Amino acid sequence: MAGPTLLKESGPREVFCGLTSIVWLHRRMPDAFFLVVGSRTCAHLIQSAAGVMIFAEPRFGTAILSERDLAGLADAHDELDRVCKELLQRRPEIRTLFLVGSCPSEVIKLDLARAAERLNEELSGRVRVVNYSGSGIETTFTQGEDGALAALVPLLPASDERQLLLVGTLADAVEDRQMHLFKRMGIETIHSLPPRQSTDLPGVGAGTTVLLTQPFLTETARLLSNRGATVLTAPFPLGAEGSRRWMEAAADDFHLPNERVAAVLDPLMKRAESALARHRAVLEGKRIFLLPESQLELPLARFLQRECGMELVEVGTPYLNREQMAAELALLPDDVPVMEGQHVEQQLDRVRASQPDLVVCGMGLANPLEAEGIATKWSIELVFSPIHGIDQAGDLAELFSRPLHRRQLIRPGLHPSNPDTPVHA
Amino acid sequence: MQLTLWTYEGPPHVGAMRIAASMHGVHYVLHAPQGDTYADLLFTMIERRGQRPPVTYTTFQARDLGGDTAELVKRHVREAVDRFQPDALLVGESCTAELIQDQPGALAQGMELTMPVVNLELPAYSKKENWGAAETFYQLIRNLLKAQVPTDINHDPKAWQQEGRRPRVNLLGPSLLGFRCRDDVLEVQKLLTLHGIDVGVVAPLGAGVEDLKRIPDADLNVCLYPEVAESTCSWLERNFGIPFSRTVPIGVGATHDFLVEVHSLLGMEAPAPDEGYKRSRLPWYSESVDSTYLTGKRVFIFGDGSHALAAARICSEELGFTVVGLGTYSREMARPVRAAAKALGLEALICDDYLEVEAAMAEAAPELVLGTQMERHSAKRLGIPCSVISTPMHVQDVPARMSPQMGWEGANVIFDDWVHPLMMGLEEHLIGMFRHDFEFVDGHQSHLGHAGGAGAADSSALSDIPVEGDGALHWTADGEAELKKIPFFVRGKVRRNTEAYARDTGCREISSETLYDAKAHFKA
């Protein structure tokens, strides 16, 4: 069969757990608070990731389980009620409280869903309490956002209005830009999930067409379609080509005239092409290896191969939803190995053996690989950068050309090769 | 359950990782769920290391819980041993693995491996990072050295004199993710070398298994970081008779005391008392007239036990600050911290609750906070200048430049870092005189290149902390106006004193006159 070669691997993994999603979700919805119910490890994870920023008002915290909770000496639900009240007293402006499950709370089967329900009743009107799991045993990195959004879906008001719903966290500027473009194409009503204020939830129903902005929203998409929405399958809006196809999928669904769509998009494509050219010059013909992290790997690989001329050595992904990724898989070249899952040691053996020009990997591996002389692009940055849409194609390419460009800049100075012509003189 | 916004320490297995990653030839198999590999970032990003930490995680997932997780552990132990061929193996659990009780350490010990296997039992729901590091270091050394323990102890720390060689000491405690350990080791080595004392083994930082076996060859152990190495030092003292030094050489006075202690334990003549004055710049910088305005600056100190104790001494004896709050999250160090606080007329704050520390800080209304990364959050909220003196820390406290805390050079670094966040003298005077400037406004610190803590500490943050039973107290407009004239950084304290005075004298309304009465009363 033509198309990429789908492989699976199991063994030690080097990925984040879903709790990490809090690091960007707390900025998207500043009126929400994320309370992890877990251990000191969970608390340590989040503060290691986000604690470099100095917070006058923390927007996340952990209810740390103690021995008394584990021994059943303290009623976990009473304890949780007490902690939530303590928190809300300090932060009366919180509107939505996410109770986030972790490995310990899942292993001891603490029923956070019921706790959320109970607290909702008690605090009705003032604060909404919802629950999702960000545990490492169940979720990988961006899957935490899927959980958080899925937890919001039942709260969306029913609405039969004809609308386009963009689902998945987008940078503010990117979101504004996409909405503007869709409006110019002729789609009148556009909302997004998650909203910028947690209380400002969009409606959903039979008239809703969902475009996923992110590839990791399997559960959210399923729940939205259960509520009557049509979830489109399209390539994801990374790169000019992907973004165009993504927008055209919505345009088709809204029966917009082709000429009108083309009139909006054609000039953008032209501009993107010139923005990409500079980076293509650096990236073309370079070999890239992507390690699993966020599920963004497939669309990124597609963009880098088709629009930047890179050669794909291996494309890793923590989880492959073949249905939602069908359009992406169709655009990948034949025989490229797509690896679902990970055995990090064996994967690193393959990295070293293939000596790629660039490796996309997590921060636990980036500096060690650099020290071995292998250039890396640390992958978490892709979740924190405005990379979606045709206008962002150049910026997205730059994220990958920058480490290579940097090497060209500083290597000669830092590793003088000819002792006769001292560079530092 | 405990509500935790920020945690002062990680879980104990992170302490164990610090030991493994600080050393070479030691590998750690950690039974942990997928995601706990975040801890690698502490080493690759915060410590900026170019190697992966020597840790193999089993990274089990929900679907593994239905199967044989014990078999999973054995497979990872086997793979780790084959691939990395370590000289010693640590095996332990993270918090989630502790709940499913696979006994990975015992499993590994039953696998007939050729290297020493240390089974780590680190209770994640009751102990924390530093305890985990201390326990791991202790268990590792006990395992490696138990065969060498002599039947009768006849260690003589002065034996070097008969053997005709220079005295030799071990430096125990420095580790990755410790506070400035990299440069502290260099500074202490330099300090000892100046006095003709050789350094034998530095551990765990940079040591291998063979190095640990040489520990008993030294005349004396230097316990640089009691949080990590005290249990090991005291085991070595009990079993090998090797004494250890108890003074942590942070600050000019402490460095002098440390030298006196080491010299006396080794049977050497004590160094000259003015050495610190000659070799460190802190004493002269602190004596020079530019520093006069530092006198009586109110400082709040919080951190691990050793660094908090050192800071309290430096502040009160070397910089002329007034310590208005002292505390630690290290429960093991509670006793000495309590004693130090008592000597300063304070009650020590022993707690690991960030909110409690923040409340104590607000109550003390200091002009400077010396704390951890966490205190930077509270200090920002309260608009108080802050400097970091202890872990937990972040990437900016693992700097490229040489920046020890210990020894003579460490004192130089401390002088610069602790004085820097304070308003410079001239600016302080001018803001006290002229309040109507369009650029140099209240709370502005122009040497920091931005508005500093502008306004935050003024009305909002400090006044919203309810003062008990002051429902009847009322500031008149004229009282408020007078309060605004008090320089920004002492305003919180003046407000508090005036309110206390009003309550004591049964006065309900606070006018400008009450404020002056209170000022005269407290001499503040």
Side-chain angles (χ1 to χ4, degrees):
Chain A
M1 189 191 104
T5 313
L6 304 186
L7 302 164
K8 279 192 183 189
E9 188 173 55
S10 68
R13 290 181 153 223
E14 179 96 18
V15 288
F16 282 120
C17 65
L19 294 182
T20 325
S21 58
I22 296 169
V23 175
W24 65 92
L25 286 174
H26 83 265
R27 287 291 175 90
R28 174 68 191 187
M29 294 179 280
D31 62 340
F33 191 96
F34 295 81
L35 181 66
V36 178
V37 181
S39 64
R40 192 168 300 283
T41 311
C42 309
H44 194 234
L45 156 78
I46 302 174
Q47 89 179 33
S48 306
V52 74
M53 298 178 277
I54 308 297
F55 289 85
E57 286 300 346
R59 316 223 191 130
F60 41 78
T62 310
I64 296 185
L65 296 164
S66 70
E67 280 181 320
R68 278 165 51 78
D69 300 300
L70 297 179
L73 290 175
D75 183 301
H77 287 278
D78 291 348
E79 285 288 289
L80 195 57
D81 287 4
R82 179 182 58 76
V83 165
C84 288
K85 279 174 199 148
E86 203 178 306
L87 173 69
L88 292 171
Q89 201 169 22
R90 184 187 153 95
R91 303 292 310 282
E93 74 285 6
I94 295 168
R95 288 293 156 261
T96 305
L97 175 62
F98 286 90
L99 294 181
V100 191
S102 67
C103 300
S105 71
E106 297 295 332
V107 166
I108 64 169
K109 305 254 182 283
L110 196 56
D111 193 348
L112 293 180
R114 223 186 72 209
E117 232 169 75
R118 194 184 53 244
L119 282 162
N120 252 327
E121 268 169 37
E122 260 179 72
L123 303 164
S124 62
R126 207 159 70 76
V127 183
R128 214 148 36 179
V129 187
V130 290
N131 149 253
Y132 74 95
S133 171
S135 76
I137 57 178
E138 295 160 306
T139 59
T140 305
F141 195 30
T142 48
Q143 279 177 315
E145 178 174 331
D146 191 19
L149 300 192
L152 292 176
V153 172
L155 305 178
L156 305 186
S159 155
D160 285 332
E161 193 185 10
R162 184 72 184 120
Q163 63 158 341
L164 177 64
L165 185 59
L166 302 179
V167 180
T169 297
L170 287 178
D172 290 351
V174 168
E175 181 182 63
D176 293 344
R177 178 72 180 154
Q178 292 304 316
M179 289 194 173
H180 172 73
L181 293 174
F182 277 123
K183 283 190 175 149
R184 271 173 54 193
M185 282 161 49
I187 300 176
E188 294 305 323
T189 312
I190 310 161
H191 288 110
S192 57
L193 182 73
R196 292 183 193 185
Q197 293 295 319
S198 65
T199 46
D200 192 14
L201 293 171
V204 66
T208 305
T209 296
V210 168
L211 255 191
L212 299 180
T213 67
Q214 303 279 16
F216 42 75
L217 300 170
T218 300
E219 179 68 5
T220 307
R222 191 180 66 79
L223 293 178
L224 285 168
S225 91
N226 285 353
R227 293 203 53 185
T230 309
V231 180
L232 301 182
T233 306
F236 288 91
L238 300 180
E241 183 196 25
S243 303
R244 175 169 200 149
R245 289 180 187 236
W246 180 79
M247 297 186 85
E248 284 172 345
D252 276 356
D253 195 68
F254 278 78
H255 307 294
L256 304 182
N258 286 341
E259 315 78 69
R260 186 164 177 191
V261 174
V264 174
L265 298 185
D266 284 347
L268 270 59
M269 294 299 286
K270 239 186 139 99
R271 210 161 52 200
E273 202 175 307
S274 69
L276 276 170
R278 198 151 44 94
H279 304 293
R280 193 180 166 104
V282 179
L283 296 173
E284 188 146 41
K286 298 284 196 308
R287 300 166 65 249
I288 188 164
F289 195 123
L290 297 99
L291 269 62
E293 186 97 10
S294 60
Q295 300 182 49
L296 283 166
E297 296 81 6
L298 259 70
L300 287 173
R302 178 261 303 154
F303 161 68
L304 293 168
Q305 194 264 334
R306 291 173 67 93
E307 296 181 52
C308 302
M310 296 191 86
E311 192 186 315
L312 306 175
V313 181
E314 181 175 318
V315 184
T317 179
Y319 171 72
L320 181 60
N321 177 346
R322 295 184 191 202
E323 211 176 306
Q324 201 62 61
M325 283 292 185
E328 291 289 352
L329 286 166
L331 292 174
L332 284 177
D334 288 354
D335 304 324
V336 165
V338 170
M339 181 66 76
E340 185 183 3
Q342 185 178 38
H343 186 302
V344 67
E345 304 295 347
Q346 289 172 14
Q347 199 162 36
L348 286 174
D349 287 345
R350 296 197 295 278
V351 167
R352 293 181 184 115
S354 58
Q355 286 291 312
D357 298 297
L358 191 63
V359 176
V360 180
C361 63
M363 296 187 291
L365 301 172
N367 273 334
L369 284 174
E370 291 280 352
E372 288 181 33
I374 298 174
T376 61
K377 161 78 214 106
W378 48 283
S379 53
I380 190 168
E381 197 177 2
L382 297 157
V383 182
F384 299 142
S385 303
I387 58 171
H388 297 77
I390 303 175
D391 302 303
Q392 302 295 327
D395 291 358
L396 177 57
E398 192 190 354
L399 288 178
F400 296 88
S401 69
R402 194 184 296 151
L404 296 176
H405 177 53
R406 180 171 179 78
R407 288 199 139 209
Q408 287 172 353
L409 276 178
I410 67 174
R411 275 189 84 83
L414 298 179
H415 300 270
S417 50
N418 186 352
D420 299 330
T421 50
V423 246
H424 301 296
Chain B
M1 260 177 230
Q2 189 199 355
L3 174 62
T4 309
L5 298 177
W6 302 103
T7 168
Y8 284 100
E9 293 181 72
H13 73 258
V14 169
M17 282 185 73
R18 283 170 55 188
I19 302 300
S22 298
M23 297 183 61
H24 51 86
V26 175
H27 199 84
Y28 183 19
V29 175
L30 179 61
H31 195 23
Q34 162 178 276
D36 279 3
T37 50
Y38 82 86
D40 284 359
L41 271 63
L42 305 171
F43 300 93
T44 60
M45 300 305 284
I46 295 178
E47 283 280 356
R48 225 183 281 257
R49 303 269 289 174
Q51 304 110 45
R52 295 169 66 206
V55 182
T56 296
Y57 304 81
T58 58
T59 57
F60 58 85
Q61 291 172 268
R63 59 167 180 266
D64 298 313
L65 293 178
D68 191 348
T69 45
E71 198 45 52
L72 189 81
V73 173
K74 282 162 106 174
R75 196 175 81 224
H76 281 84
V77 169
R78 178 71 59 204
E79 282 191 22
V81 166
D82 287 349
R83 182 176 283 267
F84 300 105
Q85 312 213 327
D87 303 322
L89 190 71
L90 307 174
V91 184
E93 300 162 305
S94 79
C95 54
T96 306
E98 189 180 329
L99 297 172
I100 55 179
Q101 304 213 334
D102 282 320
Q103 314 287 349
L107 282 176
Q109 282 173 330
M111 287 174 67
E112 298 181 345
L113 301 172
T114 51
M115 71 283 299
V117 176
V118 181
N119 176 11
L120 296 177
E121 299 208 16
L122 310 175
Y125 296 92
S126 55
K127 302 291 188 187
K128 287 174 279 189
E129 178 178 334
N130 282 333
W131 186 89
E135 173 70 8
T136 304
F137 191 45
Y138 161 71
Q139 290 294 351
L140 181 62
I141 286 190
R142 207 179 66 102
N143 260 273
L144 293 171
L145 295 186
K146 64 186 171 199
Q148 292 183 42
V149 170
T151 42
D152 60 330
I153 300 167
N154 59 354
H155 180 87
D156 175 14
K158 301 176 181 103
W160 58 277
Q161 291 165 336
Q162 277 82 52
E163 292 168 23
R165 58 172 174 83
R166 283 153 63 104
R168 185 164 55 231
V169 303
N170 299 318
L171 303 186
L172 301 184
S175 67
L176 295 180
L177 296 179
F179 197 71
R180 311 277 172 93
C181 290
R182 179 195 69 194
D183 299 334
D184 281 348
V185 166
L186 292 174
E187 185 62 23
V188 172
Q189 267 176 326
K190 197 167 102 184
L191 194 66
L192 293 171
T193 306
L194 272 171
H195 289 273
I197 299 167
D198 287 340
V199 170
V201 178
V202 180
L205 190 62
V209 166
E210 287 310 309
D211 295 317
L212 296 192
K213 290 185 178 163
R214 289 192 293 113
I215 281 180
D217 298 346
D219 302 302
L220 176 72
N221 286 324
V222 167
C223 182
L224 286 182
Y225 301 91
E227 277 85 353
V228 172
E230 191 164 12
S231 47
T232 300
C233 287
S234 95
W235 184 82
L236 289 165
E237 185 172 51
R238 283 198 311 276
N239 288 277
F240 289 86
I242 311 173
F244 67 96
S245 67
R246 266 118 174 134
T247 315
V248 177
I250 301 179
V252 175
T255 300
H256 176 74
D257 291 353
F258 164 79
L259 286 173
V260 170
E261 183 185 17
V262 167
H263 279 72
S264 114
L265 286 168
L266 289 169
M268 302 164 80
E269 203 173 313
D274 64 343
E275 202 180 299
Y277 198 94
K278 283 194 208 137
R279 295 199 190 271
S280 176
R281 280 176 214 106
L282 182 143
W284 168 241
Y285 270 52
S286 189
E287 279 178 349
S288 66
V289 291
D290 214 24
S291 298
T292 312
Y293 85 111
L294 299 178
T295 315
K297 284 266 181 212
R298 304 163 48 79
V299 55
F300 181 90
I301 300 170
F302 196 84
D304 67 17
S306 322
H307 288 90
L309 282 171
R313 177 166 178 189
I314 296 168
C315 284
S316 56
E317 294 177 12
E318 297 171 26
L319 295 175
F321 292 158
T322 303
V323 181
V324 295
L326 174 62
T328 180
Y329 58 82
S330 315
R331 273 180 202 283
E332 316 80 66
M333 302 281 276
R335 200 178 299 171
V337 174
R338 280 208 184 93
K342 202 170 169 205
L344 293 164
L346 299 166
E347 183 159 358
L349 176 67
I350 313 293
C351 86
D352 62 355
D353 182 347
Y354 161 79
L355 293 175
E356 214 178 302
V357 178
E358 188 187 81
M361 188 192 297
E363 178 60 35
E367 293 161 73
L368 174 68
V369 173
L370 299 177
T372 73
Q373 174 76 10
M374 305 303 128
E375 275 61 65
R376 297 179 67 195
H377 298 283
S378 324
K380 177 182 179 185
R381 180 162 187 262
L382 301 172
I384 305 170
C386 178
S387 193
V388 175
I389 60 159
S390 153
T391 55
M393 58 173 180
H394 231 297
V395 62
Q396 63 270 48
D397 280 301
V398 189
R401 65 175 184 278
M402 174 79 175
S403 44
Q405 300 286 289
M406 293 182 178
W408 309 134
E409 180 61 23
N412 299 342
V413 171
I414 282 172
F415 184 88
D416 289 347
D417 285 357
W418 296 6
V419 171
H420 173 79
L422 295 169
M423 188 182 288
M424 307 298 275
L426 175 63
E427 184 158 16
E428 184 177 319
H429 285 300
L430 289 176
I431 284 194
M433 288 181 70
F434 312 110
R435 300 314 178 83
H436 60 281
D437 200 274
F438 58 87
E439 180 183 353
F440 299 95
V441 294
D442 206 12
H444 183 90
Q445 291 172 287
S446 60
H447 73 293
L448 298 179
H450 57 77
D458 179 12
S459 47
S460 56
L462 284 176
S463 59
D464 70 357
I465 293 146
V467 181
E468 248 170 87
D470 75 335
L473 284 183
H474 168 71
W475 282 81
T476 64
D478 135 82
E480 286 277 9
E482 203 59 42
L483 181 66
K484 284 233 162 68
K485 294 181 191 161
I486 305 296
F488 162 76
F489 38 85
V490 286
R491 196 176 303 151
K493 188 66 199 170
V494 171
R495 171 189 283 274
R496 239 163 256 283
N497 280 351
T498 310
E499 286 172 355
Y501 175 79
R503 234 172 285 122
D504 285 352
T505 54
C507 164
R508 299 242 170 272
E509 245 185 24
I510 303 179
S511 67
S512 55
E513 294 308 315
T514 327
L515 191 142
Y516 280 109
D517 286 345
K519 196 174 166 190
H521 178 76
F522 289 107
K523 243 185 100 188

